[in-house]
Amino acid sequence: MQTSFTVTQLLDPQVASSEKILRACVHCGFCTATCPTYVLLGDELDSPRGRIYLIKEMLEQDKPATREVVKHIDRCLSCLACMTTCPSGVHYMHLVDHAREHIEKTYKRPMTDRMLRGLLARVLVDPGLFRLAVVMGLIARPLAPVLDILGLRRMAAMLRLTPHRKPAPPLDRTGKVYPAQGKRLGRVALLSGCINPVLAPSTNEAAIRLLNRHGIEVVIAAGEACCGSLVHHLGREDEALSQARNNIDAWTRELEGAGLDAILVTVSGCGTTIKDYGFMLRSDPAYAKKAARISTRARDITEYLATLNLRDASAPVPLTIAYHAACSLQHGQKVMREPKDLLSKMGFVVKDVPEGHLCCGSAGTYNILQPALAEQLRARKVASIERLTPDVIAAGNIGCITQIAAGTAVPVVHTVELLDWATGGPAPEPLAELVSSRVSVPPSY
Ligand code: SF4
Ligand code: SF4
């Protein structure tokens, strides 16, 4: 694609980088077929190619974003299916990140939008505040239909995503070291993060048990917190970079102290962002090198587990698993085989979900900010999954787990919980009923 940025504009490293991305696009349109919003809406401006064109115009003119551009960029899930499909290697992720930042700096959203986005940016990254919000959501949940009638669909969507049980106060694990069982074979940091300790503490508990059982010491680095992914996708770049720097410092202290073989992440949305720290901070002289080093050490938990010799195990109960590939894992990190191979090795029957490239509608805060599209995508995803008649759904991202669980009665668990169970850990709690019904009762004679 031809571009017409001025020489002065190209002195800005961010513009220079986006210009390169724009020039790689040959407008072939292959990406439209796999874009969830184009599939649903059929509007070229809600396709990757259309959005790329809008972003090009907006950046070239260097003018405040218009309402039209904001509408179509806001509808983008950042699912990155377009990057997997694109034959020209267009790095859409960096382009749309730049566009979101430009929008945040130049466009004045309506007051209610600003308040909601500000609230999400403040509450979701703080486990204490987030738990409080979940508890309040639990109480207010029955009001969701009323909010729908009043036209407050985003508030209603938030309530519907609230889990059915009150979460326990999140444990602060930062600074804790979990020693390896037997001979120590490795040492890793595990991201504790912000949402996981409230909604799914069992995920990291399973990860720690599993790693320790296989000779890996685990540290939750002192001072680590939210990775910055949530605010990054809201275009709040200064906050995202500050959160990234905080975690880089925390992990660098561990790297240079007792040492780390890897930095493991059990939330694939966070993993994609941490792997991108090197790019995000490339122009920061104080952090560029450190950020690049952290990014090269970051691994999805299943990538790392695939390098270990997991103890011989077999599925404690033969189960059929529908494996939901989170977009951030399959498109963002290109981790596709590892979770399925690990589960298969454990003796589970693993089935791919038809239309697996399409997002479930979670996408960070998308299911709150764009509830109508998110609900359509969830319904489509759940229908595809349920056609497989699985016993359980496995996924590697808390956002997808919450989103899918809100639309189906099939239990949804993190992949690592199944792997922990198969190698000697407890059964994942959502499977308790299923497991007790499947445990074979010895025949009575
Ligand atoms: S597939 Fe790639 S090159 Fe083709 S239109 Fe989409 S982004 Fe551009
Ligand atoms: S990131 Fe996803 S929603 Fe956005 S343009 Fe690409 S395929 Fe479409």
Side-chain angles (χ1 to χ4, degrees):
M1 181 192 285
Q2 274 201 329
T3 58
S4 53
F5 289 97
T6 64
V7 175
T8 317
Q9 281 179 304
L10 291 172
L11 290 175
D12 177 339
Q14 213 175 2
V15 173
S17 149
S18 289
E19 197 247 1
K20 265 197 203 127
I21 299 170
L22 289 165
R23 291 179 79 89
C25 176
V26 294
H27 256 218
C28 64
F30 286 175
C31 51
T32 56
T34 56
C35 171
T37 54
Y38 184 74
V39 168
L40 290 186
L41 302 167
D43 181 343
E44 172 73 13
L45 294 181
D46 286 313
S47 77
R49 185 171 59 179
R51 291 188 177 112
I52 287 169
Y53 187 73
L54 290 174
I55 296 171
K56 170 182 160 344
E57 294 280 292
M58 176 176 76
L59 296 179
E60 271 180 353
Q61 290 168 14
D62 196 17
K63 286 198 178 134
T66 62
R67 195 189 318 175
E68 185 70 359
V69 171
V70 174
K71 179 173 92 176
H72 296 292
I73 300 300
D74 279 359
R75 282 183 185 163
C76 170
L77 295 133
S78 280
C79 69
L80 310 180
C82 47
M83 282 181 61
T84 298
T85 315
C86 177
S88 297
V90 172
H91 205 305
Y92 179 83
M93 179 174 93
H94 288 159
L95 190 64
V96 80
D97 286 347
H98 185 185
R100 291 192 203 282
E101 188 185 343
H102 184 83
I103 289 170
E104 192 61 20
K105 283 184 180 152
T106 64
Y107 181 72
K108 189 161 184 192
R109 293 176 183 275
M111 170 83 95
T112 48
D113 266 31
R114 275 183 280 144
M115 281 171 61
L116 179 58
R117 293 168 79 90
L119 192 74
L120 292 172
R122 175 74 190 90
V123 171
L124 294 180
V125 302
D126 179 326
L129 278 181
F130 179 50
R131 178 178 177 269
L132 189 65
V134 170
V135 173
M136 284 162 61
L138 206 57
I139 297 164
R141 198 185 161 94
L143 297 176
V146 181
L147 294 177
D148 271 336
I149 293 166
L150 294 173
L152 300 170
R153 288 212 64 189
R154 292 167 171 190
M155 299 298 286
M158 254 195 288
L159 295 185
R160 289 206 176 89
L161 287 166
T162 312
H164 288 271
R165 276 193 329 191
K166 185 173 157 186
L171 284 180
D172 182 6
R173 296 176 185 275
T174 50
K176 295 214 163 63
V177 176
Y178 297 85
Q181 287 171 22
K183 188 178 170 214
R184 192 177 98 171
L185 302 174
R187 185 173 195 273
V188 298
L190 181 69
L191 172 74
S192 177
C194 50
I195 302 282
N196 242 6
V198 178
L199 290 186
S202 56
T203 302
N204 275 1
E205 285 163 12
I208 292 168
R209 281 193 301 266
L210 178 59
L211 290 161
N212 289 166
R213 194 179 300 129
H214 291 88
I216 309 299
E217 180 171 291
V218 180
V219 60
I220 315 290
E224 66 113 280
C226 175
C227 68
S229 174
L230 286 164
V231 285
H232 182 53
H233 292 304
L234 290 170
R236 300 165 81 107
E237 208 50 18
D238 290 346
E239 288 163 59
L241 294 182
S242 146
Q243 291 171 7
R245 287 188 190 99
N246 174 67
N247 280 2
I248 289 165
D249 285 340
W251 288 323
T252 300
R253 282 192 293 272
E254 284 296 334
L255 264 171
E256 293 176 353
L260 291 176
D261 301 319
I263 296 159
L264 303 187
V265 190
T266 54
V267 180
S268 60
C270 307
T272 306
T273 298
I274 296 166
K275 287 182 177 181
D276 204 40
Y277 277 177
F279 180 83
M280 288 163 67
L281 285 157
R282 68 197 182 287
S283 305
D284 180 335
Y287 276 86
K289 264 195 187 157
K290 285 198 279 184
R293 179 155 73 142
I294 292 300
S295 287
T296 59
R297 298 287 170 111
R299 297 278 181 283
D300 182 72
I301 179 90
T302 56
E303 277 182 285
Y304 185 75
L305 291 173
T307 67
L308 301 179
N309 222 349
L310 288 195
R311 89 168 41 165
D312 281 345
S314 56
V317 176
L319 294 179
T320 300
I321 295 173
Y323 173 70
H324 164 73
C327 296
S328 41
L329 202 50
Q330 62 167 329
H331 304 307
Q333 299 183 46
K334 304 284 183 261
V335 176
M336 296 179 195
R337 290 244 47 94
E338 291 87 340
K340 293 188 286 183
D341 287 352
L342 286 164
L343 289 168
S344 299
K345 264 190 212 156
M346 300 291 148
F348 295 111
V349 176
V350 183
K351 291 189 179 175
D352 282 321
V353 177
E355 287 192 336
H357 61 280
L358 285 185
C359 181
C360 65
S362 166
T365 53
Y366 191 91
N367 48 4
I368 295 170
L369 295 172
Q370 298 283 338
L373 289 171
E375 280 165 24
Q376 285 182 61
L377 287 170
R378 175 172 57 212
R380 193 169 174 138
K381 180 64 69 183
V382 166
S384 296
I385 290 174
E386 289 184 347
R387 271 199 289 279
L388 301 173
T389 59
D391 297 308
V392 56
I393 302 161
N397 189 52
I398 182 62
C400 309
I401 292 172
T402 310
Q403 170 79 348
I404 295 170
T408 180
V410 181
V412 195
V413 299
H414 194 288
T415 308
V416 84
E417 291 186 80
L418 292 165
L419 298 174
D420 173 48
W421 180 33
T423 56
E429 214 238 273
L431 300 188
E433 210 177 298
L434 179 72
V435 170
S436 62
S437 71
R438 292 281 179 91
V439 171
S440 52
V441 179
S444 53
Y445 294 101

